[in-house]
Amino acid sequence: MEVLICESPGTLRYGTRNAPVPGEKETLLRVRRIGICGTDLHAFEGTQPYFTYPRILGHELAGEIVEVNGTSAFRSGDIVTFLPYFSCGHCVACRQGKTNCCADLKVCGVHIDGGMADYLVVPTENLVAGRGIGLDALALVEPLAIGAHGIRRANVNSGEPVLVIGAGPIGMGAMQFARLAGADVIALDVDERRLAFCRERLGVPYTITAKEDVLTRLRDITGGDMPAVVIDATGNLNAIQEGFRYMSHGGRYVLIGLQKGDIAFSHPEFHKREGTLMSSRNATRKDFDQVVQAISQGAVDPEAYITHRVTFAAAGEAFPSWLDRKSGVIKAMVMRD
Ligand SMILES: [Zn+2]
Ligand SMILES: [Zn+2]
């Protein structure tokens, strides 16, 4: 089968591999859609901390079942997505149902080869039924689930001001699920075009560009309280460190984004707020189910995010251009028959 391999940072090439064979309790998928994620772009750049090379990228996937090995409610021909986080099932995190942060986690397309290929084998227990959702939207369940998980971690209450820093697809997902939780959503980004998208397409009532006086704007918007929840979806060290100053007294700060360095913040400022700092890693089945339901009900429309579409044959050449903000990319989708 044909694959697109990231040989090393900056190098993508097409190659061939033997088609995988599903083992016990595994399912063989024909890959139909591959969403391109910031993680894929950062892997290509060499700035994502969990990558080794060579690696076949791609974890935002929709596929068609070719073969299920073992008993399952799924059948060949079913359209599905799946949780691309392959957990061990017995570590301390897995025993608590936190399979998203398994101590021995293998993320498909990160720690092990992913879906930039004709076929892929996945654990049958990770499959998520398509429930009539289109292939494009189905491939975007995973990035939306990351945002939904961050909002779940923050335990967002109705009426709370929630600041989401970073208006990429992950931040946009967090905004949408914060809005569904009844929050007053505030988006902060450097890119005015993306903020316009948040206002016009996602119904975000407040947006702030990074070059404004952010503290003053936040005070104005929140009546002096400041955001009860701050979500980082940038993975940018400066943005993350600034974010501590935006949190209300008694507030929560959730890091969805990831970067390679150490974080420094003022202990007295954090302490006087009795702040809560947490990371939010991947997502759980509960998050996937919530996203699938929200898409089925029309509460979120991930297809609005898709700005670029390419064939698998053209993906290798187009890939580097998506690193450039000037491309206007929000979400690129690789289409397959
Ligand atoms: Zn992703
Ligand atoms: Zn585990």
Side-chain angles (χ1 to χ4, degrees):
M1 66 171 182
E2 193 173 26
V3 296
L4 181 56
I5 309 166
C6 187
E7 288 282 346
S8 58
T11 312
L12 273 174
R13 70 163 185 84
Y14 291 93
T16 52
R17 295 270 173 95
N18 292 331
V21 177
E24 212 178 315
K25 297 181 181 172
E26 288 183 333
T27 292
L28 178 66
L29 299 179
R30 185 159 70 87
V31 177
R32 299 285 304 275
R33 291 292 184 280
I34 311 158
I36 304 299
C37 171
T39 300
D40 300 315
L41 297 170
H42 295 148
F44 178 72
E45 275 185 316
T47 55
Q48 215 281 359
Y50 300 149
F51 270 86
T52 55
Y53 304 86
R55 180 65 63 228
I56 299 173
L57 306 176
H59 58 273
E60 300 180 358
L61 301 166
E64 182 178 333
I65 294 180
V66 177
E67 182 191 348
V68 183
N69 185 344
T71 50
S72 167
F74 289 98
R75 296 281 169 266
S76 59
D78 285 358
I79 298 295
V80 295
T81 186
F82 62 95
L83 282 78
Y85 329 120
F86 302 164
S87 52
C88 78
H90 49 78
C91 75
V92 59
C94 286
R95 292 200 306 272
Q96 297 173 71
K98 292 174 71 79
T99 50
N100 59 308
C101 61
C102 167
D104 191 25
L105 191 66
K106 304 274 187 285
V107 178
C108 177
V110 177
H111 307 94
I112 55 172
D113 285 337
M116 293 259 193
D118 294 334
Y119 297 96
L120 185 69
V121 161
V122 304
T124 302
E125 66 172 7
N126 285 46
L127 293 176
V128 176
R131 288 175 52 180
I133 294 173
L135 287 165
D136 293 338
L138 204 54
L140 298 179
V141 168
E142 192 269 347
L144 281 169
I146 304 260
H149 187 71
I151 297 304
R152 189 187 304 284
R153 290 278 288 148
N155 196 17
V156 169
N157 298 306
S158 185
E160 281 186 322
V162 172
L163 171 65
V164 179
I165 309 173
I170 298 293
M172 288 176 183
M175 292 172 208
Q176 292 199 283
F177 284 92
R179 188 174 52 79
L180 291 177
D184 279 336
V185 180
I186 309 162
L188 170 61
D189 198 273
V190 293
D191 189 332
E192 174 51 38
R193 279 184 308 176
R194 287 192 169 196
L195 292 174
F197 182 92
C198 295
R199 287 192 301 271
E200 289 156 19
R201 302 293 298 272
L202 307 182
V204 171
Y206 307 104
T207 61
I208 306 174
T209 46
K211 59 176 181 282
E212 292 181 84
D213 180 346
V214 178
L215 279 172
T216 303
R217 287 289 320 277
L218 288 173
R219 272 192 215 103
D220 290 348
I221 291 166
T222 61
D225 285 349
M226 301 301 282
V229 172
V230 177
I231 305 274
D232 176 75
T234 66
N236 174 284
L237 180 59
N238 283 332
I240 289 168
Q241 293 185 160
E242 285 291 302
F244 284 89
R245 304 196 300 143
Y246 304 150
M247 182 177 51
S248 74
H249 282 243
R252 294 90 80 195
Y253 191 10
V254 181
L255 306 182
I256 301 180
L258 173 66
Q259 50 82 42
K260 279 183 163 181
D262 293 348
I263 298 166
F265 57 93
S266 160
H267 187 175
E269 288 294 320
F270 185 67
H271 203 91
K272 78 181 184 190
R273 288 170 171 75
E274 198 181 53
T276 302
L277 174 62
M278 49 185 122
S279 59
S280 179
R281 190 177 182 198
N282 302 321
T284 62
R285 179 164 290 274
K286 203 171 176 181
D287 303 310
F288 275 68
D289 288 345
Q290 184 188 5
V291 172
V292 168
Q293 189 178 16
I295 295 172
S296 319
Q297 293 171 344
V300 297
D301 173 20
E303 289 180 56
Y305 297 11
I306 302 173
T307 49
H308 294 60
R309 292 175 187 273
V310 295
T311 61
F312 185 60
E317 202 183 319
F319 199 94
S321 71
W322 301 323
L323 281 163
D324 184 358
R325 267 191 179 271
K326 288 201 279 287
S327 67
V329 70
I330 294 175
K331 178 61 68 180
M333 183 64 67
V334 179
M335 321 280 292
R336 314 210 58 187
D337 293 336

